[in-house]
């Protein structure tokens, strides 16, 4: 069943009428509904296109958080073969919020990192809504070390509201673990690609996104703090999250203009949650282009490319 966002109500109403007509036709074969269904479908498509043509930053935030948006596990099933997840940081334990391991992309061996939010109550609790603990980031460092040792490209799928802010996480060194993971991503001698597929929140995202190339899905967001938390601090009112989202410049289009990201992966009209297959193929193409672009670079060239990329951010605003 399709889940609709508040601003999609005109589309929801039209598609509800279409469903009613189809239900009526199923019980009475004498009723001809084709013409009316086609008319309503065309109107629904036009309404959806009009809505998505002028999404506000806050509406894009809602799209990025849509419960039916493809998550890390969906990308693994569609893009990666021989996916072999590894568990544990060899210091404390396993963190299901941050998945890591090895697999093949179009036959090429790669190391993979990804934040999994879950798509049901059970899996969301299991994966802690994609908010990793320190052991998750230490596991990421372990996998990146192995990738560097065996000369494997690293693919990171970013989708988190931020690192887990619990007392236990702080006691086990959350900030240090994020810093180590960020540092490891910057010093790799192998190429790494970060894809912001939903939310890219704060240090929890940057810890696995310090990459040679950072790409965002068209309706994803990337920021140092969530609009709600930012509004609480800046405006003393979490209800002003909509204003904060606009002020933060968190959309892919804004961040591409600032040079924070390197490209945008287009989403079909209606968002990735309506078009899983098309988004997977667009992502496949983007990864393939990246791997070909960096195939001939030496370890020094790869490291220097990444270094220059991040040093250049903010120098030409």
């Amino acid at each position: 069943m399709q889940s609709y966002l508040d601003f999609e109500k005109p589309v929801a109403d039209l598609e509800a009428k279409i469903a009613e007509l189809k239900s009526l036709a199923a019980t009475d074969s004498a009723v001809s509904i084709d013409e009316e269904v086609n008319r309503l479908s065309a109107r629904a498509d036009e309404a959806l296109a009009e809505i998505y043509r002028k999404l506000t930053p806050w509406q894009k935030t809602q799209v990025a958080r849509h419960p039916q948006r493809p998550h890390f596990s969906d990308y693994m099933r569609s893009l990666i073969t021989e996916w072999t997840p590894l568990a544990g940081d060899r210091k404390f334990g396993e963190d299901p919020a941050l998945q890591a391991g090895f697999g093949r992309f179009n036959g090429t061996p790669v190391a993979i990192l990804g934040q999994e939010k879950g798509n049901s109550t059970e899996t969301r609790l299991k994966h802690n809504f994609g908010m990793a603990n320190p052991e998750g980031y230490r596991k990421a460092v372990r996998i990146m070390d192995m990738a560097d040792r065996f000369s494997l490209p690293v693919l990171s799928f970013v989708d988190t509201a931020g690192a887990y802010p619990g007392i236990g996480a702080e006691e086990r060194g959350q900030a240090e673990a994020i810093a180590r993971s960020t540092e490891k991503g910057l010093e790799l001698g192998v190429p790494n690609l970060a894809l912001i597929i939903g939310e890219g929140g704060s240090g929890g995202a940057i810890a696995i996104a310090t990459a040679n190339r950072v790409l965002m899905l068209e309706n994803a967001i990337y920021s140092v703090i969530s609009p709600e938390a930012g509004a609480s601090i800046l405006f003393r009112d979490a209800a002003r999250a909509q204003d904060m989202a606009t002020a933060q410049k968190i959309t892919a289009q804004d961040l591409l203009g600032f040079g924070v990201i390197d490209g945008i992966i287009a989403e079909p009209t209606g968002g990735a949650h309506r078009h899983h297959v098309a988004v997977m193929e667009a992502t496949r193409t983007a990864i393939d282009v990246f791997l070909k672009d960096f195939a001939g670079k030496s370890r020094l060239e790869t490291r220097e490319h990444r270094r220059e990329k991040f040093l250049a951010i903010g120098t030409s605003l």
Side-chain angles (χ1 to χ4, degrees), residues 6 18 100 117 159 189:
D6 290 343
I18 293 170
K117 284 185 171 181
D159 189 14

Side-chain angles (χ1 to χ4, degrees), residues 82-118:
E82 299 182 39
W83 165 234
T84 305
L86 299 184
D89 64 347
R90 302 299 185 263
K91 291 180 175 68
F92 180 80
E94 164 64 352
D95 183 6
L98 202 159
Q99 302 286 292
F102 299 92
R104 292 182 184 273
F105 172 80
N106 288 352
T108 301
V110 292
I112 304 153
L113 308 173
Q115 288 145 338
E116 174 60 47
K117 284 185 171 181

Side-chain angles (χ1 to χ4, degrees), residues 54-284:
K54 53 183 182 181
L55 289 178
T56 66
W58 178 242
Q59 288 170 336
K60 289 200 172 191
T61 301
Q62 293 174 278
V63 175
R65 295 171 174 173
H66 197 286
Q68 294 171 330
R69 192 174 180 84
H71 294 143
F72 172 72
S73 57
D74 300 305
Y75 286 88
M76 287 306 94
R77 283 191 293 270
S78 296
L79 303 178
I80 304 298
T81 57
E82 299 182 39
W83 165 234
T84 305
L86 299 184
D89 64 347
R90 302 299 185 263
K91 291 180 175 68
F92 180 80
E94 164 64 352
D95 183 6
L98 202 159
Q99 302 286 292
F102 299 92
R104 292 182 184 273
F105 172 80
N106 288 352
T108 301
V110 292
I112 304 153
L113 308 173
Q115 288 145 338
E116 174 60 47
K117 284 185 171 181
N119 51 23
S120 66
T121 300
E122 182 182 358
T123 56
R124 284 171 189 143
L125 291 173
K126 174 185 175 182
H127 295 289
N128 198 31
F129 300 87
M131 296 185 293
N133 281 281
E135 46 272 23
Y137 296 111
R138 292 185 177 120
K139 176 173 62 176
V141 171
R142 183 166 76 89
I143 300 305
M144 285 190 276
D145 269 331
M146 294 176 68
D148 209 19
R149 190 178 311 133
F150 295 107
S151 298
L152 300 178
V154 178
L155 307 179
S156 298
F157 293 82
V158 180
D159 189 14
T160 182
Y164 184 59
I167 293 174
E170 297 296 334
E171 290 175 340
R172 297 194 300 278
Q174 183 71 289
E176 185 267 350
I178 289 172
R180 295 289 183 189
S181 184
T182 304
E183 178 186 44
K184 177 55 65 176
L186 288 170
E187 70 181 21
L188 287 174
V190 295
N192 55 345
L193 168 68
L195 300 120
I196 317 296
I197 59 175
E199 283 187 277
S202 193
I206 198 69
I208 62 170
T210 46
N212 287 100
R213 189 169 292 169
V214 180
L215 305 178
M216 284 180 71
L217 263 67
E218 184 178 352
N219 295 317
I221 59 170
Y222 194 21
S223 66
V224 298
I225 193 170
S226 71
E228 294 89 341
S232 295
I233 295 170
L234 189 62
F235 302 129
R236 307 294 184 190
D237 182 4
R240 292 188 63 185
Q242 185 169 344
D243 296 331
M244 192 65 197
T246 302
Q248 283 180 290
K249 306 296 183 184
I250 60 178
T251 68
Q253 295 73 19
D254 287 327
L255 295 170
L256 181 63
F258 293 142
V260 174
I261 65 169
D262 304 295
I264 298 173
I265 299 174
E267 297 182 32
T269 300
H273 55 281
R274 283 186 171 86
H275 305 279
H276 282 215
V277 174
V279 167
M280 295 299 164
E281 288 310 305
T283 304
R284 183 187 298 277

